[in-house]
Amino acid sequence: MSDLAERETMEFDVVIVGAGPAGLAAAIRLKQLASAKDKEVSVVVLEKGSEVGAHILSGAVIDPVALDQLIPDWRDQDAPLNTEVTEDRFYYVTETGGVRLPNIFMPPLMSNHGCYTGSLGSLCKWLAEQAEALGVEVYPGISVTEAIVGANGAIEGVITGDLGVARDGSHKDNYTPGMALLGKYTFLAEGARGSLSKQLIAKFALDKDSGPQKFGIGLKELWEIPAEKHKPGLVQHTMGWPLDDKTGGGSFLYHFGDNLVSVGFVVHLDYANPYLDPFKEFQRSKLHPRIREHLEGGKRIAYGARALTEGGWQAIPELAFPGGALIGCAAGFMNVPRIKGSHNAMLSGMMAAEAAFAAIEAGRAHDTLEAYPQAVAASSMAKELKKVRNVKPLWSRFGTRLGVMLGGIDMWLNTVFPFLGHTLKHRKPDYATLEKASAVKPIDYPKPDNALTFDILSSVFLSNTNHDEDEPVHLKLADPSIPIAENLPEYAEPAQRYCPAAVYEVVEEAGGPRFQINAQNCVHCKTCDVKDPAQNINWVPPEGGDGPNYANM
């Protein structure tokens, strides 16, 4: 724990790290509960993005079940979510063709009827406004670097990142030490592979009884297309090409708003071929007739990428620990076959808020909120996730064609017979799935045409990413020799390819290859923290406000 005597200190009832759907839903629910009982509860939300929504990236097709519970009249309050799903298409595709899978064969929970397409970032901005109207203090541009651990081992708050630190660690003229924010309870709502969540999961061994968490990388572009091609509410998903059958993932394409289309691609991070490049897989996926017909004549206006949790029910760690809780994708509530998690993130935040409010009302602090995991276990969210718990393991073991078919059968069986209890375990963490480079062939990717497909640096430009070049590199190597000495000969250094922002390069020089980190390119996706085969890369927060500045993503 850092020396608190040197730091400015603020005290709250609840400190929330992350202004995504989980953190904001928790903050709103706490204030609603306090208002209903004419009580005062102080709540602060800390967000590392330059503004709320700047680091939010999602498809997104949003199930409104949580929003309906949290703010029942949201449809009458100008919420930026007004494109209801009108058509739902799912294809298995080959390089030039494919087949549409009949909706009638899909389990009921796969239907997007009643859901909305839109921007999760815009929705989070709106939720932050609702939270502030209730008295929540929301502070963007604030990185959180460590937890405050009390004498009894409980979490008592967090410390924000220092400002004005030079690349060599010296203090610049504008140096300001981070603040200590103390709370009776601390909620971690950082999203997938959050840096503080990672620390505390390890500290409290929260994953000792769960399987390894599984991840994917989601890449997304926002396009503006001609009005005559726009079909508001059209939702389309594909699987198959360009990935081989052993590699999980697929594309998504959603029409929403004013002539806008979200198009993206997900690659499961348990892929085996070290030459696979998720960014280039995404680019060539747009060449398929089922996707290019929507984009031709349009203009790409934004790009981004983010890791997502895919482990499902059996990979959820213990949710509560002394003084705090994991909520949202920090815990991993995404429904993989539905490709949806924001509704469950919000529900988890609301349940954690209810447990914390009851504890504060009873005069408690810094204990374990046992009521929160109990509420989750009895919730509709648990029922939803249990129905799909075997889909990801089946897909990983049997590939796309057979694995998805078996997963569909398993979903139907768990829908009709919800008492079925068999749960498949995940066999390996994602960093342990790569084959040696010598055992596979490099993948020949087409060159960008700058009409539908693009290079990586022009894409990063559209993410509006920015980092001060004179600040410490936030991508920490435990052993700087490993990328060249081990990863390069064994795996052709996959960081050059799995990163969707060209952060990592192997530069050939007269004295031999050199590993270069272009930290200023980082879009904070966390893929390197997940996939590095040596687990040598540790992603830590840079200065608050750095990173991407997504708009309408």
Side-chain angles (χ1 to χ4, degrees):
M1 183 179 73
S2 296
D3 187 359
L4 299 185
E6 300 177 0
R7 301 180 183 276
E8 183 180 347
T9 300
M10 297 176 68
E11 295 187 21
F12 298 88
D13 289 313
V14 179
V15 175
I16 300 173
V17 182
L24 293 168
I28 291 169
R29 190 72 182 125
L30 280 162
K31 284 294 190 177
Q32 289 173 336
L33 292 166
S35 177
K37 293 198 172 184
D38 200 23
K39 303 276 187 179
E40 284 294 328
V41 173
S42 57
V43 183
V44 64
V45 179
L46 306 173
E47 167 55 41
K48 66 183 176 66
S50 61
E51 61 179 1
V52 174
H55 289 181
I56 297 292
L57 184 141
S58 179
V61 174
I62 298 173
D63 185 332
V65 59
L67 204 50
D68 288 340
Q69 292 182 31
L70 184 67
I71 307 175
D73 62 345
W74 64 270
R75 292 173 182 82
D76 302 322
Q77 291 196 36
D78 295 323
L81 197 62
N82 47 36
T83 306
E84 192 166 357
V85 173
T86 56
E87 187 177 358
D88 208 357
R89 302 176 184 174
F90 202 100
Y91 295 93
Y92 176 83
V93 296
T94 60
E95 185 169 358
T96 57
V99 293
R100 182 173 177 179
L101 305 181
N103 290 33
I104 194 171
F105 292 158
M106 299 287 185
L109 62 85
M110 293 296 292
S111 172
N112 285 306
H113 177 73
C115 296
Y116 291 78
T117 61
S119 162
L120 185 60
S122 297
L123 179 62
C124 286
K125 281 186 180 181
W126 181 81
L127 286 172
E129 293 170 1
Q130 311 312 303
E132 289 179 317
L134 292 170
V136 176
E137 296 182 47
V138 181
Y139 297 128
I142 303 291
S143 290
V144 173
T145 56
E146 59 183 299
I148 299 170
V149 182
N152 64 351
I155 302 305
E156 296 184 355
V158 298
I159 292 174
T160 66
D162 296 344
L163 300 176
V165 179
R167 193 179 185 91
D168 62 5
S170 62
H171 293 175
K172 296 187 281 190
D173 292 342
N174 63 338
Y175 172 75
T176 306
M179 295 178 60
L181 290 96
L182 305 176
K184 295 175 182 175
Y185 297 100
T186 300
F187 291 172
L188 302 184
E190 301 174 290
R193 198 68 165 194
S195 53
L196 191 59
S197 304
K198 178 181 166 183
Q199 292 178 35
L200 296 187
I201 288 171
K203 174 180 174 57
F204 292 104
L206 301 178
D207 57 353
K208 66 181 185 299
D209 296 324
S210 61
Q213 185 57 270
K214 305 293 284 184
F215 296 88
I217 177 173
L219 305 100
K220 175 184 173 181
E221 294 173 350
L222 186 64
W223 283 65
E224 188 173 21
I225 65 170
E228 62 270 17
K229 300 184 78 168
H230 196 241
K231 300 176 181 178
L234 171 63
V235 167
Q236 175 180 295
H237 296 100
T238 73
M239 59 182 177
W241 187 85
L243 300 175
D244 62 32
D245 191 61
K246 295 186 298 182
T247 305
S251 77
F252 61 85
L253 186 144
Y254 311 142
H255 289 238
F256 75 102
D258 295 327
N259 303 325
L260 296 177
V261 171
S262 293
V263 60
F265 200 78
V266 173
V267 177
H268 298 182
L269 286 177
D270 57 3
Y271 66 82
N273 188 339
Y275 289 109
L276 187 144
D277 187 319
F279 174 81
K280 291 181 179 178
E281 296 290 349
F282 172 34
Q283 294 306 308
R284 69 172 175 171
S285 75
K286 292 181 289 178
L287 298 174
H288 193 277
R290 292 294 181 191
I291 299 176
R292 71 182 303 153
E293 64 183 348
H294 296 269
L295 304 179
E296 286 180 324
K299 179 184 178 182
R300 186 178 71 146
I301 57 177
Y303 165 80
R306 186 69 171 90
L308 49 147
T309 52
E310 294 187 340
W313 183 253
Q314 58 270 56
I316 296 172
E318 293 179 27
L319 297 174
F321 49 87
L326 302 171
I327 63 176
C329 285
F333 295 118
M334 194 181 96
N335 182 321
V336 173
R338 291 188 79 194
I339 325 177
K340 289 182 182 61
S342 57
H343 65 298
N344 286 338
M346 293 179 67
L347 289 170
S348 71
M350 293 157 65
M351 286 184 273
E354 289 160 6
F357 180 77
I360 292 167
E361 198 175 24
R364 291 158 41 203
H366 307 137
D367 60 332
T368 301
L369 294 171
E370 301 288 359
Y372 167 46
Q374 291 170 2
V376 168
S379 69
S380 61
M381 178 173 73
K383 293 178 182 176
E384 174 189 334
L385 292 176
K386 286 179 180 179
K387 286 179 183 179
V388 303
R389 66 190 182 278
N390 291 325
V391 173
K392 171 63 176 175
L394 287 166
W395 198 338
S396 296
R397 294 181 193 188
F398 297 103
T400 297
R401 288 190 292 269
L402 179 57
V404 170
M405 181 181 72
L406 293 173
I409 293 171
D410 191 82
M411 280 192 286
W412 269 113
L413 288 172
N414 279 280
T415 298
V416 178
F417 307 107
F419 53 82
L420 295 176
H422 181 62
T423 300
L424 296 174
K425 294 182 178 180
H426 300 296
R427 290 176 170 172
K428 293 180 180 180
D430 293 332
Y431 65 82
T433 62
L434 286 178
E435 297 179 10
K436 297 296 175 66
S438 59
V440 296
K441 293 181 179 180
I443 300 173
D444 183 21
Y445 291 104
K447 293 182 179 180
D449 61 18
N450 296 316
L452 284 176
T453 63
F454 304 90
D455 67 274
I456 198 166
L457 291 180
S458 68
S459 300
V460 174
F461 178 79
L462 291 179
S463 71
N464 299 307
T465 293
N466 182 65
H467 297 84
D468 187 341
E469 292 195 7
D470 188 21
E471 68 173 291
V473 173
H474 65 282
L475 303 148
K476 307 292 186 182
L477 300 181
D479 183 344
S481 71
I482 283 179
I484 299 302
E486 296 182 19
N487 284 355
L488 185 60
E490 292 187 15
Y491 304 106
E493 184 44 89
Q496 302 174 88
R497 292 172 291 278
Y498 60 58
C499 174
V503 169
Y504 302 103
E505 289 185 86
V506 174
V507 180
E508 295 293 341
E509 296 180 333
R514 175 176 59 85
F515 191 64
Q516 179 166 300
I517 299 176
N518 304 310
Q520 65 274 19
N521 287 5
C522 181
V523 294
H524 297 200
C525 74
K526 318 291 182 66
T527 302
C528 57
D529 199 295
V530 172
K531 190 60 177 174
D532 178 55
Q535 287 296 276
N536 188 46
I537 301 174
N538 184 35
W539 191 100
V540 300
E543 280 198 5
D546 283 0
N549 283 280
Y550 296 136
N552 215 19
M553 294 285 270

